[in-house]
Structures are given as C-alpha cells and as structure tokens.
Amino acid sequence: QQQVKQSPQSLIVQKGGISIINCAYENTAFDYFPWYQQFPGKGPALLIAIRPDVSEKKEGRFTISFNKSAKQFSLHIMDSQPGDSATYFCAASRNSGYALNFGKGTSLLVTP
Amino acid sequence: DSGVTQTPKHLITATGQRVTLRCSPRSGDLSVYWYQQSLDQGLQFLIQYYNGEERAKGNILERFSAQQFPDLHSELNLSSLELGDSALYFCASSVRRGGDTQYFGPGTRLTVL
C-alpha cells in the first residue's frame, strides 16, 4: 500500500510562476520528509528535507511547508524555471537512515 | 554526480534468466539501499545493508537476493526473471546506519523479454 500519497500527478507552470506539489502520509512514526528531484535518465537527487519539529524550511527558491496535525507536507518552487522541469518525489521515513517511502511522483513542466 | 556507481547501465535478458546488478557506494558510506522504479509502482524499497549485514527488507521478492561485500560494494541478484521485473533498479548509499541523505546512483535499466 502506498504510505505516501502525492498530487498532482503532473503539473504545467509558466516560467516565473509558483509550482506547488502536495503529499500526505498516515504513519505517525515518520519523522523525516525529503523531496527528491529526478531528471530523465538520472537517479533521484535530494532537493530539500524537513523534520516535523519545524513547519517550514526554505532553501533558495524551494520551500517545504509541513503540517504535522494534518499529516501533510508540500513543496513550493518559487519563480519556476524551465530547468526545473523534472519529476519530483516526496518521501517519508522513520528517522533518516531507514528506507524511504516514496510518493508516486509529479512530472513538472515549466514552459518558457 | 552522486558518487554512487552502478553497473551495468542497461541489461536486456530473457524470462527465466538470472542477472546480477552491482553497486559501489560513495566513499565512506556504510549503508546501501536498493530500490525498484516502475511506471505502475513508482519507487519501491527492496532491501538495505549496513556494513555487510542486512538491516531491513521491503517489498523484495523471494526470487531476488542481495549482499554487501567487505569492500562495501553490493550486488542485487534477480533470478527466474519475469516480464514484470522489467524496471529501473537504483542503489543508494548513506553515511551511517541512521545516516541522513541517501545518495542515488544512476540506475540499471533491466528489460526482460
């Protein structure tokens, strides 16, 4: 069963716009929530990660918002660029170092 | 480049055959994870090794097995292959047993005909 649900499946955003991807989880034992970015033909690469003791984490144009009570977290990509076009995966695990439970991925296309 | 290497990049084989996928973790990383990526199932955790010992098992079929050697490289063995085993297989590594970031290799694309 999918322990992490991700939406939308695909997303088209204009250059300069905000891309928003949402994830939800059920297992309250999860306490590490990374986002991975994957380009075609490449392995996933860590983009940004958060732990549930903070509600938001920002790195450059990428922000994770975390809502512990709702068991939801989201990725916001500000000022989206064509180079951001990739597949994004949210994930969750019990402590970092345990297996990652991935969402099904969101294919993002940023149009010029 | 994550520093994790996987060979081969592509593998084409027939049903019923056995293949071995190889992974070399980043220098200094003790944990190795194997994941399978398919269109319908997404990225699924298969198995984890830490410093030569199996640490966790996920949705790994009995036809599949893995090991981690003293030099820390790992091999994933897939036997009695079926069409449904066609997928991308990724290896990831992290520093500690409870290490933070998992660094993914470029993957091995397996096609079973």
Side-chain angles (χ1 to χ4, degrees):
Chain A
Q1 69 282 16
Q2 199 75 22
Q3 296 204 52
V4 178
K5 292 185 167 57
Q6 182 172 349
S7 63
Q9 189 174 354
S10 63
L11 185 58
I12 300 175
V13 173
Q14 281 196 330
K15 179 182 174 182
I18 303 173
S19 304
I20 302 174
I21 305 170
N22 300 300
C23 285
Y25 65 98
E26 286 298 323
N27 190 340
T28 54
F30 288 155
D31 66 357
Y32 176 66
F33 303 89
W35 284 88
Y36 278 79
Q37 179 188 56
Q38 185 179 26
F39 292 103
K42 304 287 187 184
L46 179 69
L47 197 58
I48 185 172
I50 198 168
R51 293 186 181 277
D53 52 343
V54 297
S55 60
E56 187 174 282
K57 182 173 181 180
K58 183 175 179 177
E59 288 184 4
R61 297 184 293 108
F62 301 92
T63 300
I64 299 180
S65 297
F66 187 84
N67 185 329
K68 189 173 180 178
S69 60
K71 291 184 285 186
Q72 294 175 348
F73 58 111
S74 61
L75 176 70
H76 291 63
I77 305 174
M78 312 299 288
D79 187 26
S80 298
Q81 298 296 311
D84 297 330
S85 298
T87 300
Y88 293 81
F89 293 93
C90 62
S93 73
R94 296 186 295 122
N95 298 320
S96 54
Y98 280 81
L100 292 170
N101 296 274
F102 282 93
K104 287 231 172 173
T106 295
S107 178
L108 171 65
L109 176 64
V110 181
T111 60
Chain B
D1 184 2
S2 68
V4 178
T5 60
Q6 290 186 248
T7 56
K9 195 173 174 70
H10 301 278
L11 201 48
I12 301 174
T13 188
T15 54
Q17 295 298 304
R18 173 190 168 93
V19 296
T20 298
L21 312 184
R22 182 188 168 102
C23 167
S24 293
R26 292 187 324 149
S27 177
D29 283 3
L30 299 177
S31 259
V32 169
Y33 311 76
W34 286 96
Y35 292 88
Q36 179 192 59
Q37 185 174 38
S38 61
L39 279 174
D40 54 342
Q41 295 294 326
L43 269 162
Q44 298 272 317
F45 167 68
L46 296 178
I47 195 164
Q48 178 193 3
Y49 278 81
Y50 175 78
N51 202 20
E53 293 192 5
E54 182 186 302
R55 183 174 186 235
K57 261 186 176 178
N59 300 320
I60 189 166
L61 300 171
E62 285 192 14
R63 301 183 285 108
F64 296 1
S65 65
Q67 53 185 327
Q68 186 179 28
F69 295 86
D71 67 352
L72 299 177
H73 91 271
S74 178
E75 292 180 357
L76 179 67
N77 300 295
L78 315 176
S79 61
S80 303
L81 285 167
E82 302 175 0
L83 295 177
D85 298 328
S86 296
L88 269 167
Y89 291 84
F90 287 105
C91 164
S93 72
S94 68
V95 175
R96 307 184 296 265
R97 179 180 1 213
D100 298 338
T101 305
Q102 291 185 29
Y103 296 88
F104 281 74
T108 293
R109 180 173 293 280
L110 173 66
T111 302
V112 183
L113 300 175

